[in-house]
Amino acid sequence: MGVIVLSEESLKRVFGAVWSRFLEFEITRSKMMAELTGSSSSALVLQVVAYHNLTLVQSSLESKTYSEIRGAWEQGDQTLISDLPQKLSFAAIADITGIDKETVRRSVKKLEEQRWVVIDQKAGISYSPSKVNQDKLVALNEWELTHFGRLLKRLNDASNAS
């Protein structure tokens, strides 16, 4: 499949054709994340921690290709990001998600018990999954790629039909 380039205006014209599929994608993905973590709030918190980690990994790499980023992500090499000053805190996660800070703290503690994250006074909250958890998230990522690709194809088809 070729690259899909839509302006905001053309996206507005065709979005109605895929809106329900987009929502279905979002709902299914959210449910899958909640199943991985045990709750919707923990799922959202983990997404913020994973996003923070991804941002740090991307900033430490020269190449921005999916395969290189995913390789560094899967490697979990903290030396790639250990010298960077960004630190994730309970308050930052609460600000990003809109979840109460105490609920964030409980969710992070639960995620730490489940071996998704590490809490360190100096380094903050870091994505540091067990091998089993990393494999689960990689499987979710494969699902995302497949289903998001289908959504993009539908958008492209709707755009070509209009």
Side-chain angles (χ1 to χ4, degrees):
M1 176 169 57
V3 175
I4 298 169
V5 180
L6 293 173
S7 68
E8 184 177 345
E9 199 53 45
S10 62
L11 179 59
K12 286 178 182 177
R13 279 194 311 275
V14 300
F15 192 66
V18 297
W19 197 351
S20 63
R21 297 288 187 168
F22 171 76
L23 290 174
E24 179 183 12
F25 172 85
E26 284 291 308
I27 292 165
T28 303
R29 184 183 178 283
S30 295
K31 179 182 176 193
M32 292 169 77
M33 284 296 299
E35 288 170 354
L36 283 179
T37 61
S39 73
S40 297
S41 58
S42 289
L44 186 54
V45 168
L46 180 59
Q47 288 179 84
V48 171
V49 176
Y51 168 75
H52 181 257
N53 182 71
L54 179 61
T55 302
L56 296 176
V57 167
Q58 285 178 312
S59 70
S60 69
L61 298 173
E62 288 186 30
S63 172
K64 302 296 184 209
T65 66
Y66 171 71
S67 61
E68 295 224 357
I69 293 167
R70 180 169 168 176
W73 172 275
E74 287 183 40
Q75 188 178 4
D77 187 356
Q78 292 298 309
T79 61
L80 288 173
I81 61 175
S82 62
D83 295 330
L84 295 171
Q86 296 91 343
K87 177 176 149 176
L88 193 57
S89 66
F90 298 128
I93 295 170
D95 286 344
I96 292 166
T97 62
I99 298 172
D100 173 78
K101 186 177 170 185
E102 181 56 29
T103 302
V104 167
R105 188 193 66 73
R106 284 192 307 268
S107 292
V108 171
K109 294 283 189 183
K110 182 178 173 186
L111 291 168
E112 183 179 44
E113 290 169 9
Q114 295 171 341
R115 299 183 60 212
W116 282 105
V117 303
V118 171
I119 306 167
D120 180 85
Q121 190 72 20
K122 183 178 176 187
I125 301 159
S126 302
Y127 178 75
S128 184
S130 65
K131 172 77 170 106
V132 170
N133 286 343
Q134 180 69 357
D135 291 345
K136 289 176 184 177
L137 209 54
V138 167
L140 175 67
N141 182 245
E142 289 298 319
W143 178 90
E144 291 169 322
L145 281 170
T146 299
H147 288 81
F148 192 68
R150 289 178 186 160
L151 183 61
L152 288 176
K153 183 180 181 324
R154 286 187 179 106
L155 257 178
N156 191 44
D157 292 348
S159 178
N160 289 336
S162 63

